[in-house]
Amino acid sequence: MQQCGVLTSTKTITKPQPQLAPNQKRQRIGLYGGTFNPVHNAHLLVADQVQSLLCLNRVDFMPDFIPPHIDHKSAIDAQDRVAMLKLATSDNSRFGIEMAELKRGGVSYTYDTMKQLLEQNPLTEYYFIIGGDMVDYLPKWHRINDLVKLPRFHFVGVRRQGAKNETNYPVIWVDVPLVAFSSTDIRHRISTGQSIRYMVPEKVAQYIKEHQLYHE
């Protein structure tokens, strides 16, 4: 069975890559960072598509503590966000949760996180998943020039409608089906009494209802 090579091309990946050999020790892990406030089906779709197309061992959802790029005021307690992530990912063996940024605290700068994870996991190749809107923002990222030079680190860009979806930084592009709703939309729907069915996993919807989240 052919082993997966290191993906460094900036072309768009449109077909599943060769699978890992059973005895291959090096791990290929996707990291999907975000506030996940709450996690929803579009997040899961992106993670599943990237995992499949890049033949990753798994995709780890990585909730942030304080995001450096967005307003954090509306984020609920990390304990609830993690609980919903666990519920949302429990039925997919290719999904995991990475707690590094919550354990470290402070502003969740990707450079600091990746330095830590790469040092702790010397046999792991990391594929950091971001939307096209965040790709547009890369020039403003904390220590971006140092970040892209880290060994065993790659950006995976998911094209987004309305974004430029292009950059001079090395990015592996992946096309996924467009789902045009966000966590902000879901929070608004909950606060105004609208249905979020089919927008979040049923277990997550039940958790939100039981804990009366996002009603204010």
Side-chain angles (χ1 to χ4, degrees):
M1 182 180 294
Q2 183 180 1
Q3 297 184 13
C4 289
V6 175
L7 296 173
T8 57
S9 172
T10 57
K11 69 180 182 180
T12 301
I13 304 300
T14 58
K15 296 181 180 179
Q17 302 301 294
Q19 295 300 304
L20 290 163
N23 62 349
Q24 188 168 342
K25 293 183 178 180
R26 185 177 293 278
Q27 297 283 297
R28 295 158 59 90
I29 304 299
L31 282 179
Y32 195 176
T35 307
F36 302 112
N37 185 37
V39 61
H40 52 69
N41 288 339
H43 292 136
L44 303 175
L45 173 64
V46 167
D48 178 71
Q49 291 289 306
V50 172
Q51 185 278 318
S52 175
L53 287 169
L54 301 188
C55 75
L56 305 179
N57 293 87
R58 68 174 189 274
V59 171
D60 288 344
F61 292 77
M62 185 168 65
D64 51 38
F65 188 74
I66 300 177
H69 305 303
I70 62 175
D71 186 358
H72 189 67
K73 294 178 181 178
S74 62
I76 62 172
D77 188 83
Q79 181 177 344
D80 287 316
R81 291 187 284 128
V82 171
M84 288 187 286
L85 275 172
K86 289 180 178 179
L87 291 171
T89 59
S90 62
D91 63 348
N92 190 329
S93 62
R94 296 291 187 179
F95 288 168
I97 299 175
E98 173 57 66
M99 300 286 285
E101 293 190 337
L102 292 182
K103 290 179 179 178
R104 189 174 71 245
V107 178
S108 300
Y109 290 120
T110 302
Y111 176 80
D112 297 336
T113 301
M114 294 315 307
K115 281 278 289 183
Q116 174 188 336
L117 291 177
L118 288 164
E119 289 172 2
Q120 292 174 348
N121 303 285
L123 293 179
T124 299
E125 198 90 20
Y126 283 103
Y127 294 82
F128 197 88
I129 305 165
I130 55 175
D133 53 337
M134 292 307 298
V135 173
D136 293 347
Y137 198 73
L138 282 179
K140 298 182 180 180
W141 279 41
H142 175 70
R143 298 190 66 173
I144 181 61
N145 293 325
D146 294 323
L147 176 61
V148 297
K149 293 177 183 177
L150 290 175
R152 297 176 284 113
F153 171 82
H154 315 276
F155 274 120
V156 177
V158 178
R159 285 190 172 85
R160 293 276 175 84
Q161 194 172 33
K164 293 180 181 178
N165 296 312
E166 59 184 32
T167 181
N168 292 324
Y169 291 104
V171 171
I172 300 167
W173 287 101
V174 174
D175 288 330
V176 305
L178 177 64
V179 180
F181 61 79
S182 66
S183 295
T184 301
D185 298 328
I186 291 169
R187 294 195 302 271
H188 174 73
R189 286 177 173 272
I190 294 170
S191 67
T192 55
Q194 300 179 63
S195 172
I196 58 170
R197 192 175 187 182
Y198 306 120
M199 299 178 76
V200 302
E202 186 176 347
K203 292 179 181 178
V204 171
Q206 187 63 31
Y207 186 94
I208 291 171
K209 182 178 180 180
E210 290 178 356
H211 291 79
Q212 291 294 295
L213 303 178
Y214 309 120
H215 287 281
E216 294 182 359

